[in-house]
């Protein structure tokens, strides 16, 4: 076994990738990602001695470390970073920061406790020993499968929280308390004395901070760019050179639009950047054309046809094909060997996209692969503005059920289930969606109910927060005590760790009876899965007919 990773839905045989990742991650990189997280825990042993007051007092340097921590965790999310050199540097830098932290704790006379003697707090590596160390500390080094399962469930939930916090921090939001939880949670995975109940409690607390992280990001996005509004998004092309932007980072979207303005270079979104089209602040750019293509896994075909430069601001990157690799640019926590990386700017400055813009001018305009329009922008503010209409439709029986189909898309053939499920839903149902899962049904012509489209797209996976707010509002309007008494059912698709975060958020909010597919996570041991079934009645999907019969 050269590696062990089972953090995403397409893990080999729904058990674990042991040779190379199905995602394209090589075994050495998979091991280095584990070592980076281990090194971060070492840093956190000392950093966790800093109280909130201390962090506030030294806010500027604290923000830098917060940024480092969430960025590094983000780099270990599926399809974000495949770059060996990146991880070697990150591990060495983390160890350096750990040593500085250790010195500071000693100078201040603080007692870092028993974990100060843990290997994570002590280890060092050289270029010659780093791979060996990385291979030693992997997921399987926790022998008990239930403990391993709970630790990994928590770790993946934390990775998603870190990703959302990373975006929020880039928009100037306060994430100190979120990072303090991340530290507490990851350090708990080093503690062999915790009982199963205590570990389960930590997973539930992760759900609380998942809600918090999504709320902070929602505030960051909407305060900066306005509330998403109902928008018809063009999916065709124009005849100008163009840049394609993918991933989840809206700050990059803003800076790219600002720098391409007036240059004759158009901008299109791909994958999870589609919801950028719904924000008022981006509508003012004449060169912002619309969305090109579909969910992340179709990029290997769609990027080739796009013809122009492509910017990956976050996951999901698929190892690029030679046909377009020289047009791909990464930024933030994304990196791939041999692909140009756009660096962080100096403080107070914008990133420099000039190389991409100049390259775009030399390349042909995109080849049209679709045309027409799709509708989105149904985040909480917009849906609540329509609340009367929605409530009347429920009261009159025109809407019988809402089906939350948020989450991720993926390349496995069986995911066609979600398209068939959407098609087979009765006409008095509304699909509430968020995340790239939407591409399985957002171009179907399944009509509307009294002017309310039957697919309401709230935005990116993090905008699942909007769906939770909508549910809570409906609960209030219908004067219900329990969120599970609403006419809402959940058929969630997952792929990577942010979907785990969203799932934990829903559980924290008390949502039960969630169907999770296309397969239950491999990292849930039978006993941990049993806990989720007993407490939350989580189940897998079966087939369209039976699932519709059960849910509707
Ligand atoms: Fe396998 Fe998924 Fe891990 Fe990639 S991220 S190595 S596909 S489990
Ligand atoms: Fe998609 Fe990668 Fe998860 Fe943000 S872009 S939802 S899979």
């Amino acid at each position: 076994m050269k590696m062990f990773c089972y953090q995403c839905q397409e893990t080999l045989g729904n058990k674990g990738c042991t040779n190379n990742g199905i995602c394209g991650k090589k075994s050495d990189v998979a091991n280095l990602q584990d070592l980076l997280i281990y090194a971060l825990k070492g840093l956190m042993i000392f950093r966790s001695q800093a109280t909130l007051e201390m962090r506030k007092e030294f806010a500027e340097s604290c923000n830098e470390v917060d940024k480092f921590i969430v960025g590094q965790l983000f780099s270990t999310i599926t399809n974000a970073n495949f770059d060996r050199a990146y991880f070697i540097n990150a591990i060495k830098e983390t160890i350096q920061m750990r040593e500085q932290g250790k010195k500071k704790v000693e100078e201040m006379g603080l007692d870092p406790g028993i974990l100060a003697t843990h290997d994570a707090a002590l280890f060092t590596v050289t270029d010659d020993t780093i791979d060996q160390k990385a291979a030693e500390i992997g997921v399987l080094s926790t022998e008990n499968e239930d403990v391993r399962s709970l630790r990994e469930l928590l770790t993946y939930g934390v990775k998603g929280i870190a990703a959302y916090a990373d975006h929020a921090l880039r928009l100037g939001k306060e994430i100190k308390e979120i990072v303090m939880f991340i530290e507490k949670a990851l350090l708990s995975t080093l503690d062999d004395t915790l009982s199963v109940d205590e570990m389960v409690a930590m997973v539930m607390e992760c759900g609380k901070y998942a809600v918090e992280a999504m709320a902070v990001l929602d505030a960051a996005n909407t305060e900066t760019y306005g509330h998403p509004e109902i928008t018809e998004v063009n999916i065709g092309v124009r005849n100008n050179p163009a840049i394609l932007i993918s991933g989840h980072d809206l700050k990059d979207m803003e800076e790219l639009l600002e720098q391409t303005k007036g240059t004759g270079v158009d901008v299109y979104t791909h994958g999870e950047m589609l919801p950028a089209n719904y924000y008022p602040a981006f509508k003012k750019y004449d060169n912002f054309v619309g969305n090109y293509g579909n969910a992340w896994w179709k990029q290997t075909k769609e990027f080739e046809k796009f013809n122009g430069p492509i910017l990956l601001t976050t996951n999901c990157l698929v190892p690029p094909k030679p046909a377009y690799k020289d047009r791909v640019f990464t930024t933030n926590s994304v990196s791939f060997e041999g692909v140009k990386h756009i660096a962080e700017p100096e403080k107070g400055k914008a990133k420099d996209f000039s190389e991409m813009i100049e390259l775009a001018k030399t390349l042909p305009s995109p080849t049209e692969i679709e045309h027409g329009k799709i509708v989105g922008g149904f985040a909480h503010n917009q849906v609540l503005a329509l609340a009367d209409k929605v409530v009347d439709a429920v009261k009159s029986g025109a809407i019988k059920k809402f089906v939350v189909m948020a989450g991720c898309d993926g390349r496995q053939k069986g995911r066609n289930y979600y398209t068939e499920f959407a098609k087979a839903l009765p006409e008095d149902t509304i699909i509430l969606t968020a995340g790239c899962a939407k591409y399985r049904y957002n171009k179907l012509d399944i009509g509307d109910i009294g002017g309310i489209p039957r697919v309401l797209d709230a935005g990116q996976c993090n905008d699942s927060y909007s769906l939770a707010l909508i549910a809570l509002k409906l609960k209030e309007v219908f004067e219900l005590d329990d969120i599970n008494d609403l006419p809402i059912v959940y058929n969630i698709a997952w792929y990577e760790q942010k979907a785990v975060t969203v799932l934990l958020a829903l559980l924290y909010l008390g949502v039960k009876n969630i169907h999770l597919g296309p397969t239950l996570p491999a990292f849930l041991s039978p006993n941990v899965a049993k806990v989720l079934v007993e407490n939350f009645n989580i189940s897998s999907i079966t087939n369209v007919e039976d699932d519709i019969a059960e849910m509707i």
Side-chain angles (χ1 to χ4, degrees):
M1 193 183 289
K2 284 157 62 184
M3 59 177 278
F4 186 81
C5 180
Y6 61 176
Q7 68 173 352
C8 85
Q9 189 274 326
E10 68 176 355
T11 193
L12 183 68
N14 208 29
K15 288 200 163 59
C17 295
T18 54
N19 196 14
N20 282 316
I22 301 276
C23 59
K25 184 165 75 176
K26 298 273 188 286
S27 57
D28 62 330
V29 172
N31 292 336
L32 290 169
Q33 289 186 350
D34 290 344
L35 186 57
L36 173 56
I37 292 175
Y38 190 68
L40 286 167
K41 289 177 197 174
L43 162 65
M44 289 169 182
I45 289 171
F46 302 102
R47 195 180 194 233
S48 62
Q49 303 307 309
T51 59
L52 184 59
E53 287 66 39
M54 286 156 84
R55 293 173 198 233
K56 282 184 179 158
E57 196 181 333
F58 302 100
E60 198 162 328
S61 60
C62 171
N63 281 351
E64 283 305 306
V65 186
D66 283 349
K67 190 173 162 200
F68 180 82
I69 288 174
V70 294
Q72 298 307 350
L73 287 170
F74 203 163
S75 72
T76 68
I77 280 183
T78 303
N79 291 342
N81 196 318
F82 299 80
D83 188 350
R84 175 180 169 83
Y86 173 95
F87 288 106
I88 292 177
N89 281 337
I91 291 162
K92 289 183 179 168
E93 203 177 334
T94 307
I95 293 174
Q96 256 177 25
M97 290 170 80
R98 180 196 74 195
E99 291 306 303
Q100 285 164 7
K102 192 185 288 180
K103 223 168 115 198
K104 212 166 242 161
V105 164
E106 279 164 9
E107 278 167 14
M108 294 174 78
L110 298 169
D111 175 12
I114 190 156
L115 284 176
T117 57
H118 193 285
D119 177 60
L122 302 172
F123 84 98
T124 53
V125 284
T126 63
D127 287 345
D128 293 335
T129 61
I130 196 164
D131 286 302
Q132 195 193 335
K133 183 72 189 171
E136 276 167 27
I137 51 77
V139 172
L140 297 180
S141 60
T142 300
E143 279 167 23
N144 180 301
E145 72 164 350
D146 297 326
V147 175
R148 188 194 310 144
S149 177
L150 287 167
R151 285 181 177 173
E152 294 308 311
L153 173 58
L154 180 62
T155 303
Y156 306 150
V158 159
K159 286 188 186 192
I161 289 177
Y164 295 149
D166 181 274
H167 296 298
L169 184 65
R170 281 170 51 71
L171 290 173
K173 279 287 171 191
E174 179 66 66
I175 61 162
K176 290 189 183 65
E177 286 175 64
I178 294 174
V179 174
M180 286 180 83
F181 172 74
I182 291 175
E183 292 173 3
K184 179 171 110 172
L186 287 182
L187 289 180
S188 80
T189 66
L190 297 179
D191 186 350
D192 292 328
T193 67
L194 288 185
S195 67
V196 166
D197 285 350
E198 285 168 320
M199 285 188 276
V200 170
M202 189 62 81
V203 169
M204 289 303 120
E205 197 176 347
C206 186
K208 175 179 162 196
Y209 280 92
V211 175
E212 174 69 15
M214 286 195 277
V216 172
L217 178 54
D218 182 78
N221 288 339
T222 54
E223 285 163 17
T224 317
Y225 304 117
H227 282 284
E229 50 194 28
I230 302 177
T231 306
E232 284 197 330
V233 181
N234 170 30
I235 57 172
V237 299
R238 297 202 305 205
N239 207 9
N240 297 327
I243 293 175
L244 190 60
I245 172 169
S246 190
H248 303 69
D249 198 277
L250 296 185
K251 177 90 179 150
D252 289 331
M253 183 75 207
E254 177 191 0
E255 291 182 352
L256 182 66
L257 284 172
E258 203 40 49
Q259 290 176 40
T260 48
K261 186 173 68 178
T263 61
V265 173
D266 285 343
V267 173
Y268 297 77
T269 54
H270 187 270
E272 272 286 70
M273 199 56 89
L274 159 64
N277 287 276
Y278 313 151
Y279 285 89
F282 301 138
K283 292 187 176 176
K284 63 174 189 250
Y285 294 95
D286 298 337
N287 63 325
F288 184 16
V289 180
N291 191 67
Y292 186 87
N294 295 276
W296 63 271
W297 59 276
K298 290 202 172 163
Q299 68 186 251
T300 46
K301 289 207 169 71
E302 293 171 352
F303 285 3
E304 190 169 346
K305 291 212 158 68
F306 185 75
N307 302 328
I310 302 134
L311 177 65
L312 264 298
T313 66
T314 70
N315 61 313
C316 276
L317 172 68
V318 178
K321 288 190 166 170
Y324 59 83
K325 188 174 176 182
D326 58 351
R327 291 190 271 120
V328 176
F329 291 73
T330 59
T331 191
N332 306 322
S333 297
V334 193
S335 184
F336 195 94
E337 225 173 348
V339 166
K340 288 183 212 86
H341 188 80
I342 295 182
E344 273 302 296
E346 278 172 39
K347 214 170 181 272
K349 296 214 168 124
K351 280 185 189 164
D352 181 3
F353 294 116
S354 58
E355 190 183 341
M356 289 187 78
I357 297 168
E358 289 315 308
L359 177 63
K361 289 178 184 167
T362 68
L363 294 168
S365 60
T367 306
E368 185 156 281
I369 51 175
E370 293 171 302
H371 63 270
K373 289 193 176 354
I374 51 176
V375 181
F378 296 92
H380 57 90
N381 194 64
Q382 179 66 80
V383 174
L384 296 185
L386 299 171
D388 290 348
K389 207 170 168 185
V390 173
V391 169
D392 287 349
V394 174
K395 284 188 177 155
S396 74
I399 297 176
K400 288 259 164 51
K401 279 241 159 101
F402 296 94
V403 187
V404 174
M405 290 179 76
C408 308
D409 197 11
R411 61 198 136 196
Q412 280 180 348
K413 284 214 169 63
R415 285 186 184 256
N416 197 35
Y417 161 93
Y418 293 102
T419 310
E420 296 307 317
F421 185 90
K423 280 193 205 158
L425 280 170
E427 283 175 7
D428 52 12
T429 54
I430 296 261
I431 296 173
L432 300 174
T433 192
C436 65
K438 68 168 78 61
Y439 285 101
R440 290 280 171 179
Y441 36 79
N442 69 344
K443 291 168 187 171
L444 295 177
D445 188 11
I446 57 170
D448 63 80
I449 299 176
I452 304 167
R454 286 195 51 227
V455 178
L456 298 184
D457 177 19
Q460 299 178 333
C461 47
N462 41 291
D463 295 310
S464 300
Y465 173 71
S466 258
L467 304 181
L469 283 192
I470 293 165
L472 291 171
K473 183 71 191 174
L474 289 176
K475 176 178 159 233
E476 190 189 309
V477 173
F478 290 111
E479 296 175 352
L480 299 170
D481 295 328
D482 186 344
I483 199 167
N484 296 296
D485 292 337
L486 283 167
I488 304 182
V489 290
Y490 294 80
N491 193 1
I492 307 273
W494 83 285
Y495 173 70
E496 38 79 33
Q497 298 74 58
K498 290 187 230 175
V500 176
T501 308
V502 171
L503 175 71
L504 294 179
L506 291 175
L507 299 185
Y508 172 74
L509 293 171
V511 175
K512 294 195 169 149
N513 312 318
I514 294 173
H515 290 253
L516 185 64
T519 49
L520 286 183
F523 56 80
L524 295 181
S525 68
N527 284 331
V528 172
K530 206 167 136 217
V531 171
L532 293 181
V533 171
E534 277 169 6
N535 291 298
F536 299 102
N537 199 27
I538 286 190
S539 61
S540 187
I541 55 170
T542 60
N543 60 69
V544 170
E545 206 177 304
D546 291 347
D547 289 348
I548 297 241
E550 195 202 322
M551 288 184 233
I552 311 298

